Amino acid sequence: GITGSVGLTSDLDVLEPIFRHYENDPRVQLVFFSLHKKSDQTKLVQEIYVGEYEILNSFKNVEWQPMVPASEYYETLNNLKLDIMIIPRTDTYFNRCKSNLKFLEASMLEIPVIGQAFADGKSPYQGDGDHLLLAQTQEEWIAQIEKLIASKELRREIGRKAREYVEEKYSIDNCAHLWEEAYSKIYEPAN
């Protein structure tokens, strides 16, 4: 599974070789949870993203899941029954400012994630590196994908441990004190 704005940005440069590698592989069904198919878009969107749609529509082995309202997002993601989530990102200032939200969302559904690594170790996913697989080069992406394709047990183990990690590290019950500390530093009672 691939989710997010990856189809509308330079992230497609990272994604395209991965798609090409797997487009005729009978073991793989690519699921793209982002844009609507070109034929389902308005004429303006089709014109703005003509290059992106040329690339995306050239793949044969893709299931399209268009964006849904936020209230339906998690249920839709869960219903896709993804075995693996990949999060490719080009190393740009914009991507360095992103969060690890896609990892968190997938982890709560026990979907193992392969996230983008940057050479300097500062991608949004490298802070969670023990709970997902990381890839930087095309060869690394394919090696990590192959590792997960080959082992259902490994997919389940990574997904389960990632969920436990997210529940422990990101649960409001376990980190509310951080908010309290932040507010106490900026709040001064009136005298």
Side-chain angles (χ1 to χ4, degrees), residues 85-138:
M85 172 75 71
I86 64 172
I87 309 173
R89 299 284 183 252
T90 303
D91 188 354
T92 63
Y93 180 75
F94 178 73
N95 283 335
R96 286 176 173 270
C97 295
K98 287 186 176 182
S99 73
N100 63 346
L101 181 60
K102 296 298 178 203
F103 162 72
L104 300 176
E105 293 167 345
S107 295
M108 288 307 296
L109 297 172
E110 297 187 9
I111 303 168
V113 170
I114 305 170
Q116 182 70 51
F118 294 155
D120 65 359
K122 294 183 180 178
S123 87
Y125 308 101
Q126 284 171 286
D128 300 305
D130 292 339
H131 305 282
L132 73 158
L133 300 178
L134 295 165
Q136 184 176 340
T137 66
Q138 178 182 345

Side-chain angles (χ1 to χ4, degrees), residues 14-124:
V14 177
L15 186 60
E16 183 179 11
I18 298 167
F19 268 33
R20 294 268 179 242
H21 183 83
Y22 287 105
E23 72 178 326
N24 294 312
D25 189 325
R27 304 171 302 160
V28 176
Q29 170 66 51
L30 299 168
V31 179
F32 192 72
F33 189 1
S34 185
L35 289 171
H36 293 2
K37 287 184 178 179
K38 183 178 180 181
S39 59
D40 295 338
Q41 289 288 10
T42 65
K43 184 175 170 108
L44 178 61
V45 170
Q46 290 181 32
E47 290 171 2
I48 291 172
Y49 298 112
V50 68
E52 289 84 353
Y53 274 119
E54 281 179 21
I55 293 169
L56 293 170
N57 285 320
S58 71
F59 298 113
K60 297 172 247 162
N61 191 23
V62 175
E63 175 184 328
W64 290 75
Q65 170 57 58
M67 290 297 206
V68 296
S71 62
E72 299 172 22
Y73 177 78
Y74 295 104
E75 181 179 0
T76 303
L77 182 60
N78 190 43
N79 289 340
L80 290 172
K81 305 292 183 203
L82 302 176
D83 294 311
I84 302 168
M85 172 75 71
I86 64 172
I87 309 173
R89 299 284 183 252
T90 303
D91 188 354
T92 63
Y93 180 75
F94 178 73
N95 283 335
R96 286 176 173 270
C97 295
K98 287 186 176 182
S99 73
N100 63 346
L101 181 60
K102 296 298 178 203
F103 162 72
L104 300 176
E105 293 167 345
S107 295
M108 288 307 296
L109 297 172
E110 297 187 9
I111 303 168
V113 170
I114 305 170
Q116 182 70 51
F118 294 155
D120 65 359
K122 294 183 180 178
S123 87

